[in-house]
Amino acid sequence: MPEPFDILCFGEDWYKTGEYSTKQIVRRMAEGRKLLWVNPLPMPIHMASGAESGAGKVILRKALHKIKTHLRWLSRSREGFWIHSPLYLPLSQNPRVYRFNIFLLRLQVALLCRLLGLVNPLVWASSTYHVLDVLDRIPHSRFCYRFSDKSSAFQKLPEKGRAEIRTWYEDCDRRVLERADRVFCASRSIYEDLIERFGEKENLRYLPHGVDFDHFSGERPLPDSLRNLSHPLIGYYGALTSAQDFELLRHILESHPEWTLLMFGNVVGDFSSLEKYPNFLLPGPIPYADLPDHAQVFDVAIMTWKLNEWIENSFPVKTQEYLALGLPVVSVRIREIEREFSEVIAIADSKEDFVELIEKELKEDSPKKRQTRIDRVRNRDWKEVAGGILKELEEVS
Protein backbone atom coordinates (compact mmCIF):
# COMPACT_ATOMS: atom_id res chain seq x y z
CA MET A 1 0.00 0.00 0.00
CA PRO A 2 1.19 3.58 -0.62
CA GLU A 3 2.21 5.70 2.31
CA PRO A 4 -0.69 7.53 4.02
CA PHE A 5 -1.57 10.64 2.06
CA ASP A 6 -4.05 13.49 1.89
CA ILE A 7 -5.57 14.84 -1.32
CA LEU A 8 -5.47 18.21 -3.06
CA CYS A 9 -8.09 18.13 -5.82
CA PHE A 10 -8.48 20.54 -8.74
CA GLY A 11 -11.88 19.73 -10.23
CA GLU A 12 -15.13 21.11 -11.55
CA ASP A 13 -17.15 23.59 -9.52
CA TRP A 14 -18.14 21.66 -6.40
CA TYR A 15 -21.38 23.63 -6.14
CA LYS A 16 -22.44 22.83 -9.70
CA THR A 17 -25.61 20.77 -9.89
CA GLY A 18 -25.08 17.04 -10.26
CA GLU A 19 -22.93 14.21 -9.01
CA TYR A 20 -20.27 14.13 -11.73
CA SER A 21 -17.48 11.57 -11.89
CA THR A 22 -14.76 13.56 -10.12
CA LYS A 23 -16.97 13.95 -7.06
CA GLN A 24 -17.84 10.28 -7.08
CA ILE A 25 -14.21 9.17 -7.25
CA VAL A 26 -12.55 11.66 -4.93
CA ARG A 27 -15.13 11.30 -2.16
CA ARG A 28 -14.37 7.58 -2.03
CA MET A 29 -10.61 8.08 -2.24
CA ALA A 30 -10.80 10.64 0.57
CA GLU A 31 -12.30 8.26 3.12
CA GLY A 32 -10.02 8.49 6.17
CA ARG A 33 -7.99 11.29 4.56
CA LYS A 34 -7.98 15.06 4.49
CA LEU A 35 -9.16 16.62 1.24
CA LEU A 36 -8.98 20.16 -0.12
CA TRP A 37 -11.14 20.61 -3.23
CA VAL A 38 -10.19 23.67 -5.33
CA ASN A 39 -12.88 25.11 -7.59
CA PRO A 40 -11.67 26.22 -11.05
CA LEU A 41 -10.77 29.68 -12.28
CA PRO A 42 -12.14 30.96 -15.60
CA MET A 43 -10.16 29.66 -18.56
CA PRO A 44 -7.66 32.06 -20.18
CA ILE A 45 -9.65 31.85 -23.42
CA HIS A 46 -13.08 33.14 -24.35
CA MET A 47 -15.75 30.46 -24.20
CA ALA A 48 -18.82 31.23 -26.28
CA SER A 49 -22.12 30.51 -24.63
CA GLY A 50 -23.36 28.96 -27.85
CA ALA A 51 -26.67 29.54 -29.55
CA GLU A 52 -28.72 28.31 -26.65
CA SER A 53 -32.21 29.65 -26.09
CA GLY A 54 -32.37 32.24 -23.36
CA ALA A 55 -28.59 32.71 -23.37
CA GLY A 56 -28.93 35.94 -21.40
CA LYS A 57 -30.77 34.15 -18.60
CA VAL A 58 -28.17 31.39 -18.59
CA ILE A 59 -25.31 33.89 -18.34
CA LEU A 60 -27.08 35.77 -15.53
CA ARG A 61 -27.72 32.53 -13.66
CA LYS A 62 -24.06 31.54 -14.01
CA ALA A 63 -22.91 34.97 -12.83
CA LEU A 64 -25.14 34.81 -9.75
CA HIS A 65 -23.89 31.30 -9.07
CA LYS A 66 -20.28 32.52 -9.24
CA ILE A 67 -20.99 35.36 -6.83
CA LYS A 68 -22.55 32.96 -4.34
CA THR A 69 -19.66 30.54 -4.79
CA HIS A 70 -17.00 33.12 -4.02
CA LEU A 71 -18.82 34.27 -0.92
CA ARG A 72 -17.87 30.79 0.32
CA TRP A 73 -14.10 31.17 0.07
CA LEU A 74 -13.64 28.11 2.25
CA SER A 75 -16.37 25.77 3.43
CA ARG A 76 -16.37 22.34 5.03
CA SER A 77 -18.37 19.45 3.57
CA ARG A 78 -17.55 17.15 6.46
CA GLU A 79 -14.76 16.58 8.96
CA GLY A 80 -11.45 16.83 7.07
CA PHE A 81 -13.10 17.78 3.72
CA TRP A 82 -12.88 21.42 2.60
CA ILE A 83 -14.02 23.22 -0.56
CA HIS A 84 -12.07 26.30 -1.66
CA SER A 85 -13.39 28.88 -4.14
CA PRO A 86 -10.30 30.96 -5.05
CA LEU A 87 -10.49 34.73 -5.34
CA TYR A 88 -9.47 36.06 -8.76
CA LEU A 89 -9.74 39.09 -11.01
CA PRO A 90 -12.23 39.07 -13.92
CA LEU A 91 -11.10 39.50 -17.54
CA SER A 92 -9.01 36.34 -17.37
CA GLN A 93 -8.59 36.42 -21.18
CA ASN A 94 -6.05 39.19 -20.61
CA PRO A 95 -2.64 37.43 -20.29
CA ARG A 96 -1.47 39.74 -17.49
CA VAL A 97 -4.67 39.26 -15.53
CA TYR A 98 -4.45 35.51 -16.02
CA ARG A 99 -0.86 35.42 -14.75
CA PHE A 100 -1.87 37.45 -11.70
CA ASN A 101 -4.78 35.06 -11.09
CA ILE A 102 -2.39 32.11 -11.18
CA PHE A 103 -0.19 33.91 -8.65
CA LEU A 104 -3.26 34.40 -6.42
CA LEU A 105 -4.25 30.76 -6.86
CA ARG A 106 -0.81 29.50 -5.85
CA LEU A 107 -0.79 31.79 -2.82
CA GLN A 108 -4.26 30.76 -1.64
CA VAL A 109 -3.73 27.03 -2.15
CA ALA A 110 -0.32 27.05 -0.46
CA LEU A 111 -1.75 28.95 2.51
CA LEU A 112 -4.68 26.58 2.89
CA CYS A 113 -2.52 23.47 2.59
CA ARG A 114 -0.41 24.80 5.44
CA LEU A 115 -3.37 25.88 7.59
CA LEU A 116 -5.25 22.60 7.07
CA GLY A 117 -2.20 20.41 7.56
CA LEU A 118 -1.94 18.89 4.08
CA VAL A 119 1.73 17.93 3.78
CA ASN A 120 2.94 16.64 0.39
CA PRO A 121 -0.58 15.61 -0.69
CA LEU A 122 -1.57 13.60 -3.72
CA VAL A 123 -2.63 16.14 -6.36
CA TRP A 124 -5.67 14.96 -8.29
CA ALA A 125 -7.11 16.92 -11.21
CA SER A 126 -9.86 16.55 -13.79
CA SER A 127 -11.66 18.92 -16.19
CA THR A 128 -9.28 21.79 -15.46
CA TYR A 129 -5.73 22.65 -16.49
CA HIS A 130 -4.94 25.27 -13.83
CA VAL A 131 -3.20 22.58 -11.85
CA LEU A 132 -0.33 22.69 -14.39
CA ASP A 133 0.48 26.26 -13.33
CA VAL A 134 0.43 25.42 -9.63
CA LEU A 135 2.30 22.12 -9.39
CA ASP A 136 5.81 23.56 -9.17
CA ARG A 137 4.86 25.84 -6.28
CA ILE A 138 2.94 23.31 -4.17
CA PRO A 139 4.87 20.50 -2.47
CA HIS A 140 3.18 17.20 -3.36
CA SER A 141 3.91 13.49 -3.42
CA ARG A 142 2.22 12.47 -6.68
CA PHE A 143 0.15 13.99 -9.45
CA CYS A 144 -2.74 12.17 -11.15
CA TYR A 145 -4.99 13.49 -13.90
CA ARG A 146 -8.23 12.04 -15.23
CA PHE A 147 -9.75 12.74 -18.66
CA SER A 148 -13.50 12.28 -18.24
CA ASP A 149 -14.06 13.88 -21.68
CA LYS A 150 -12.01 14.92 -24.70
CA SER A 151 -11.44 18.55 -23.76
CA SER A 152 -10.05 19.63 -27.14
CA ALA A 153 -13.35 18.58 -28.75
CA PHE A 154 -15.34 20.96 -26.56
CA GLN A 155 -18.26 22.23 -28.63
CA LYS A 156 -18.96 25.67 -27.17
CA LEU A 157 -15.98 27.42 -28.70
CA PRO A 158 -16.23 30.69 -30.60
CA GLU A 159 -15.82 30.44 -34.35
CA LYS A 160 -13.15 33.13 -34.24
CA GLY A 161 -9.92 31.63 -32.99
CA ARG A 162 -11.33 28.10 -32.63
CA ALA A 163 -8.22 26.48 -34.14
CA GLU A 164 -5.97 28.47 -31.81
CA ILE A 165 -8.05 27.49 -28.78
CA ARG A 166 -7.99 23.84 -29.76
CA THR A 167 -4.22 24.03 -30.08
CA TRP A 168 -4.11 25.46 -26.55
CA TYR A 169 -6.15 22.52 -25.25
CA GLU A 170 -3.94 20.02 -27.02
CA ASP A 171 -0.80 21.65 -25.61
CA CYS A 172 -2.31 21.28 -22.13
CA ASP A 173 -2.98 17.60 -22.87
CA ARG A 174 0.70 17.18 -23.78
CA ARG A 175 1.83 18.90 -20.58
CA VAL A 176 -0.45 16.68 -18.52
CA LEU A 177 1.10 13.54 -20.03
CA GLU A 178 4.59 14.91 -19.38
CA ARG A 179 3.93 15.84 -15.75
CA ALA A 180 1.49 13.29 -14.32
CA ASP A 181 2.50 10.12 -12.53
CA ARG A 182 -0.72 8.56 -13.79
CA VAL A 183 -3.22 9.69 -16.43
CA PHE A 184 -6.59 7.92 -16.36
CA CYS A 185 -9.03 7.93 -19.30
CA ALA A 186 -12.77 7.39 -18.87
CA SER A 187 -13.20 5.99 -22.39
CA ARG A 188 -11.06 3.89 -24.69
CA SER A 189 -11.58 6.51 -27.39
CA ILE A 190 -9.89 9.16 -25.25
CA TYR A 191 -7.13 6.69 -24.35
CA GLU A 192 -6.50 5.82 -28.00
CA ASP A 193 -6.69 9.47 -29.08
CA LEU A 194 -3.97 10.46 -26.61
CA ILE A 195 -1.74 7.63 -27.85
CA GLU A 196 -2.35 8.67 -31.46
CA ARG A 197 -1.45 12.29 -30.73
CA PHE A 198 1.44 11.80 -28.29
CA GLY A 199 2.59 8.19 -28.61
CA GLU A 200 2.60 5.34 -26.10
CA LYS A 201 3.06 6.55 -22.52
CA GLU A 202 3.90 4.43 -19.49
CA ASN A 203 1.75 6.60 -17.24
CA LEU A 204 -1.43 6.31 -19.37
CA ARG A 205 -4.27 4.08 -18.18
CA TYR A 206 -7.82 3.24 -19.30
CA LEU A 207 -10.18 3.39 -16.30
CA PRO A 208 -13.87 3.76 -17.22
CA HIS A 209 -16.62 5.46 -15.26
CA GLY A 210 -18.38 3.65 -12.45
CA VAL A 211 -21.91 3.76 -11.10
CA ASP A 212 -23.39 4.52 -7.70
CA PHE A 213 -24.85 1.04 -7.75
CA ASP A 214 -26.58 0.94 -4.36
CA HIS A 215 -28.21 4.31 -5.09
CA PHE A 216 -29.71 3.25 -8.41
CA SER A 217 -30.51 -0.43 -7.86
CA GLY A 218 -33.25 -1.89 -5.69
CA GLU A 219 -36.97 -1.35 -5.36
CA ARG A 220 -38.37 2.01 -4.29
CA PRO A 221 -41.80 3.68 -4.07
CA LEU A 222 -42.93 5.65 -7.12
CA PRO A 223 -43.46 9.38 -6.47
CA ASP A 224 -47.14 10.37 -6.49
CA SER A 225 -46.51 12.92 -9.26
CA LEU A 226 -45.61 10.11 -11.67
CA ARG A 227 -48.43 7.67 -10.92
CA ASN A 228 -50.90 8.95 -13.51
CA LEU A 229 -48.58 9.38 -16.49
CA SER A 230 -49.54 7.74 -19.74
CA HIS A 231 -47.43 4.72 -20.78
CA PRO A 232 -45.38 3.57 -22.64
CA LEU A 233 -43.06 6.16 -21.19
CA ILE A 234 -39.79 6.95 -23.00
CA GLY A 235 -37.39 8.81 -20.70
CA TYR A 236 -34.17 10.75 -20.36
CA TYR A 237 -32.52 12.71 -17.56
CA GLY A 238 -29.58 15.10 -17.63
CA ALA A 239 -28.65 18.51 -19.01
CA LEU A 240 -31.08 19.53 -21.74
CA THR A 241 -28.90 21.43 -24.19
CA SER A 242 -28.71 22.01 -27.93
CA ALA A 243 -26.56 18.85 -28.08
CA GLN A 244 -29.83 16.91 -28.20
CA ASP A 245 -30.88 15.67 -31.64
CA PHE A 246 -34.19 17.52 -32.02
CA GLU A 247 -34.98 15.89 -35.34
CA LEU A 248 -34.70 12.49 -33.64
CA LEU A 249 -36.87 13.61 -30.71
CA ARG A 250 -39.54 14.94 -33.08
CA HIS A 251 -39.51 11.66 -34.97
CA ILE A 252 -40.08 9.73 -31.73
CA LEU A 253 -42.99 12.00 -30.78
CA GLU A 254 -44.63 11.88 -34.22
CA SER A 255 -44.11 8.17 -34.87
CA HIS A 256 -45.95 7.16 -31.71
CA PRO A 257 -48.33 9.81 -30.35
CA GLU A 258 -49.43 7.22 -27.78
CA TRP A 259 -45.93 7.23 -26.22
CA THR A 260 -45.01 9.82 -23.59
CA LEU A 261 -41.56 11.37 -23.94
CA LEU A 262 -40.42 12.51 -20.47
CA MET A 263 -37.14 14.45 -20.11
CA PHE A 264 -35.92 15.52 -16.67
CA GLY A 265 -33.21 18.18 -16.40
CA ASN A 266 -32.11 21.80 -16.53
CA VAL A 267 -33.35 23.28 -19.80
CA VAL A 268 -30.53 25.21 -21.47
CA GLY A 269 -31.22 24.50 -25.15
CA ASP A 270 -34.20 25.59 -27.23
CA PHE A 271 -36.91 22.92 -26.83
CA SER A 272 -39.72 25.21 -28.02
CA SER A 273 -40.19 23.20 -31.23
CA LEU A 274 -41.24 20.19 -29.13
CA GLU A 275 -43.67 21.98 -26.82
CA LYS A 276 -46.55 21.66 -29.31
CA TYR A 277 -46.60 17.88 -28.86
CA PRO A 278 -49.10 16.80 -26.18
CA ASN A 279 -47.03 13.66 -25.47
CA PHE A 280 -43.89 15.66 -24.56
CA LEU A 281 -43.17 16.43 -20.89
CA LEU A 282 -40.38 18.65 -19.57
CA PRO A 283 -40.87 18.81 -15.78
CA GLY A 284 -37.48 20.28 -14.86
CA PRO A 285 -34.45 18.99 -12.92
CA ILE A 286 -34.56 16.28 -10.25
CA PRO A 287 -32.12 16.25 -7.31
CA TYR A 288 -29.60 13.42 -7.46
CA ALA A 289 -30.97 11.92 -4.24
CA ASP A 290 -34.41 11.52 -5.89
CA LEU A 291 -33.23 10.60 -9.39
CA PRO A 292 -33.68 6.80 -9.14
CA ASP A 293 -37.20 7.26 -7.72
CA HIS A 294 -38.19 9.26 -10.80
CA ALA A 295 -36.20 7.44 -13.51
CA GLN A 296 -37.68 4.08 -12.55
CA VAL A 297 -40.92 5.20 -14.23
CA PHE A 298 -39.27 4.96 -17.68
CA ASP A 299 -40.31 1.99 -19.80
CA VAL A 300 -37.31 2.67 -22.05
CA ALA A 301 -34.42 5.05 -21.35
CA ILE A 302 -32.84 6.91 -24.26
CA MET A 303 -29.64 8.77 -25.16
CA THR A 304 -30.36 11.06 -28.09
CA TRP A 305 -27.42 13.40 -28.68
CA LYS A 306 -26.28 14.68 -32.05
CA LEU A 307 -23.12 12.85 -32.94
CA ASN A 308 -19.95 14.96 -32.91
CA GLU A 309 -16.35 14.49 -31.81
CA TRP A 310 -17.17 15.29 -28.17
CA ILE A 311 -20.03 12.76 -27.94
CA GLU A 312 -18.28 10.06 -29.95
CA ASN A 313 -15.34 10.09 -27.53
CA SER A 314 -17.51 10.24 -24.41
CA PHE A 315 -18.74 7.67 -21.91
CA PRO A 316 -22.01 9.09 -20.52
CA VAL A 317 -22.22 8.40 -16.79
CA LYS A 318 -25.98 7.82 -17.06
CA THR A 319 -25.33 4.71 -19.20
CA GLN A 320 -24.59 2.53 -16.20
CA GLU A 321 -27.15 4.30 -14.01
CA TYR A 322 -29.88 3.32 -16.49
CA LEU A 323 -28.61 -0.27 -16.40
CA ALA A 324 -28.44 -0.36 -12.60
CA LEU A 325 -32.14 0.56 -12.66
CA GLY A 326 -32.71 -2.42 -14.96
CA LEU A 327 -34.06 -0.21 -17.75
CA PRO A 328 -34.02 -1.07 -21.46
CA VAL A 329 -31.76 1.48 -23.15
CA VAL A 330 -31.66 2.76 -26.73
CA SER A 331 -28.75 5.02 -27.69
CA VAL A 332 -27.13 6.72 -30.64
CA ARG A 333 -23.88 5.04 -31.61
CA ILE A 334 -21.18 6.03 -29.11
CA ARG A 335 -17.99 4.00 -29.32
CA GLU A 336 -17.58 3.30 -25.60
CA ILE A 337 -21.18 2.12 -25.27
CA GLU A 338 -20.85 -0.10 -28.34
CA ARG A 339 -17.62 -1.64 -27.04
CA GLU A 340 -18.74 -2.17 -23.46
CA PHE A 341 -22.49 -2.76 -23.50
CA SER A 342 -23.72 -3.78 -26.95
CA GLU A 343 -25.19 -6.97 -25.49
CA VAL A 344 -27.49 -5.05 -23.13
CA ILE A 345 -28.00 -1.69 -24.91
CA ALA A 346 -29.67 -1.22 -28.31
CA ILE A 347 -27.67 1.06 -30.61
CA ALA A 348 -29.32 2.98 -33.45
CA ASP A 349 -27.85 4.49 -36.61
CA SER A 350 -30.85 6.50 -37.83
CA LYS A 351 -34.01 8.04 -36.43
CA GLU A 352 -36.08 5.28 -38.03
CA ASP A 353 -33.81 2.66 -36.49
CA PHE A 354 -34.08 4.38 -33.12
CA VAL A 355 -37.88 4.16 -33.07
CA GLU A 356 -37.85 0.53 -34.23
CA LEU A 357 -35.45 -0.37 -31.43
CA ILE A 358 -37.67 1.34 -28.84
CA GLU A 359 -40.59 -0.70 -30.19
CA LYS A 360 -38.50 -3.86 -29.90
CA GLU A 361 -37.37 -3.11 -26.33
CA LEU A 362 -40.94 -2.38 -25.24
CA LYS A 363 -42.12 -5.66 -26.72
CA GLU A 364 -39.28 -7.88 -25.50
CA ASP A 365 -38.49 -6.47 -22.06
CA SER A 366 -38.85 -8.92 -19.17
CA PRO A 367 -37.90 -9.30 -15.48
CA LYS A 368 -35.08 -11.63 -16.55
CA LYS A 369 -33.66 -9.05 -18.95
CA ARG A 370 -33.93 -6.35 -16.29
CA GLN A 371 -31.95 -8.50 -13.87
CA THR A 372 -29.31 -9.16 -16.55
CA ARG A 373 -28.83 -5.40 -16.99
CA ILE A 374 -28.52 -4.85 -13.25
CA ASP A 375 -26.01 -7.70 -12.90
CA ARG A 376 -23.99 -6.31 -15.83
CA VAL A 377 -22.97 -3.24 -13.75
CA ARG A 378 -23.10 -4.74 -10.26
CA ASN A 379 -19.30 -4.85 -9.98
CA ARG A 380 -18.70 -1.46 -11.58
CA ASP A 381 -19.43 0.71 -8.56
CA TRP A 382 -17.50 3.95 -8.10
CA LYS A 383 -15.73 2.34 -5.14
CA GLU A 384 -14.21 -0.14 -7.61
CA VAL A 385 -12.93 2.77 -9.73
CA ALA A 386 -11.42 4.44 -6.65
CA GLY A 387 -9.92 1.11 -5.63
CA GLY A 388 -8.31 0.75 -9.07
CA ILE A 389 -6.72 4.17 -8.69
CA LEU A 390 -5.40 3.39 -5.21
CA LYS A 391 -3.92 0.16 -6.56
CA GLU A 392 -2.14 2.12 -9.30
CA LEU A 393 -0.74 4.47 -6.67
CA GLU A 394 1.00 1.52 -5.01
CA GLU A 395 3.29 1.46 -8.05
CA VAL A 396 4.09 5.19 -7.87
CA SER A 397 7.07 5.93 -5.66
Side-chain angles (χ1 to χ4, degrees):
M1 290 294 292
E3 292 296 318
F5 61 89
D6 296 318
I7 301 173
L8 173 61
C9 177
F10 293 81
E12 300 97 322
D13 185 346
W14 176 268
Y15 302 110
K16 184 176 71 174
T17 303
E19 290 291 315
Y20 40 84
S21 62
T22 311
K23 273 189 180 181
Q24 297 278 13
I25 293 170
V26 171
R27 268 203 299 240
R28 287 161 175 80
M29 288 177 61
E31 292 178 2
R33 300 181 170 92
K34 294 178 184 177
L35 169 68
L36 175 61
W37 179 291
V38 181
N39 279 335
L41 301 181
M43 303 299 280
I45 52 179
H46 175 68
M47 292 299 180
S49 60
E52 304 283 15
S53 173
K57 292 181 179 179
V58 173
I59 293 170
L60 177 60
R61 186 171 68 241
K62 288 182 177 181
L64 291 174
H65 173 78
K66 281 293 183 184
I67 292 171
K68 291 179 181 178
T69 294
H70 292 292
L71 290 176
R72 294 180 282 188
W73 185 74
L74 183 67
S75 62
R76 189 170 70 171
S77 175
R78 60 163 172 77
E79 185 66 31
F81 191 145
W82 295 273
I83 300 102
H84 171 48
S85 300
L87 300 175
Y88 61 87
L89 297 179
L91 303 175
S92 60
Q93 301 94 321
N94 183 301
R96 291 184 180 179
V97 172
Y98 181 72
R99 286 194 295 270
F100 183 73
N101 283 339
I102 291 300
F103 167 77
L104 285 178
L105 179 64
R106 291 169 178 166
L107 188 65
Q108 292 171 90
V109 172
L111 175 64
L112 287 173
C113 284
R114 186 166 184 174
L115 289 175
L116 301 176
L118 276 70
V119 181
N120 291 324
L122 163 73
V123 175
W124 177 271
S126 182
S127 303
T128 177
Y129 293 112
H130 295 110
V131 63
L132 294 168
D133 297 309
V134 176
L135 272 178
D136 291 337
R137 305 298 177 90
I138 304 294
H140 60 280
S141 58
R142 288 151 291 187
F143 168 42
C144 296
Y145 194 94
R146 184 169 186 270
F147 286 96
S148 56
D149 290 294
K150 184 177 178 180
S151 300
S152 60
F154 187 61
Q155 294 301 298
K156 295 181 183 179
L157 298 179
E159 290 295 334
K160 183 178 180 181
R162 176 171 290 190
E164 180 182 353
I165 294 170
R166 179 157 184 150
T167 298
W168 181 87
Y169 269 119
E170 292 180 343
D171 182 62
C172 289
D173 292 346
R174 176 189 57 76
R175 292 169 62 197
V176 163
L177 285 167
E178 290 174 351
R179 296 297 306 274
D181 295 289
R182 288 291 184 271
V183 176
F184 300 101
C185 302
S187 77
R188 283 195 183 92
S189 295
I190 295 172
Y191 175 82
E192 292 165 356
D193 173 72
L194 289 171
I195 291 176
E196 182 179 343
R197 284 191 283 147
F198 305 109
E200 296 277 355
K201 300 291 181 182
E202 291 184 2
N203 59 345
L204 191 58
R205 300 288 187 274
Y206 165 64
L207 189 68
H209 288 316
V211 60
D212 193 349
F213 184 80
D214 290 340
H215 185 56
F216 283 91
S217 61
E219 295 184 5
R220 52 184 58 81
L222 187 68
D224 291 339
S225 61
L226 302 178
R227 292 186 182 277
N228 296 320
L229 293 179
S230 178
H231 289 255
L233 204 153
I234 315 306
Y236 171 93
Y237 63 74
L240 296 171
T241 71
S242 58
Q244 290 290 327
D245 188 334
F246 294 104
E247 183 179 346
L248 171 56
L249 293 174
R250 279 192 293 273
H251 186 68
I252 294 171
L253 290 163
E254 292 173 354
S255 297
H256 285 275
E258 76 279 13
W259 292 353
T260 300
L261 178 57
L262 175 64
M263 304 186 80
F264 294 114
N266 255 334
V267 180
V268 181
D270 184 0
F271 283 74
S272 60
S273 64
L274 305 180
E275 292 174 355
K276 65 181 180 181
Y277 295 97
N279 55 330
F280 178 62
L281 299 179
L282 208 63
I286 302 297
Y288 180 77
D290 302 326
L291 199 50
D293 300 347
H294 287 71
Q296 67 173 323
V297 78
F298 301 163
D299 294 303
V300 174
I302 57 173
M303 293 188 283
T304 51
W305 300 287
K306 290 179 288 190
L307 290 179
N308 53 47
E309 187 180 3
W310 175 276
I311 293 298
E312 289 174 345
N313 284 276
S314 71
F315 180 10
V317 171
K318 64 175 56 61
T319 305
Q320 296 180 107
E321 295 172 351
Y322 284 160
L323 293 175
L325 284 161
L327 298 172
V329 183
V330 179
S331 174
V332 295
R333 189 172 295 277
I334 298 173
R335 280 174 282 187
E336 189 71 14
I337 294 175
E338 184 178 11
R339 286 168 163 173
E340 286 286 319
F341 301 109
S342 59
E343 82 282 10
V344 288
I345 291 179
I347 299 172
D349 289 309
S350 68
K351 62 181 186 292
E352 293 80 12
D353 190 23
F354 206 102
V355 168
E356 288 176 6
L357 288 172
I358 294 176
E359 294 169 345
K360 184 173 185 289
E361 293 297 327
L362 287 170
K363 182 178 179 180
E364 298 180 0
D365 191 27
S366 67
K368 183 178 179 180
K369 284 193 170 186
R370 291 205 166 215
Q371 191 59 52
T372 297
R373 297 179 195 115
I374 293 169
D375 291 339
R376 179 65 178 80
V377 295
R378 184 178 299 278
N379 296 319
R380 295 178 67 109
D381 193 274
W382 284 114
K383 64 177 178 286
E384 302 298 328
V385 178
I389 293 166
L390 293 173
K391 185 176 180 180
E392 281 288 337
L393 293 179
E394 294 179 20
E395 302 176 10
V396 180
S397 58

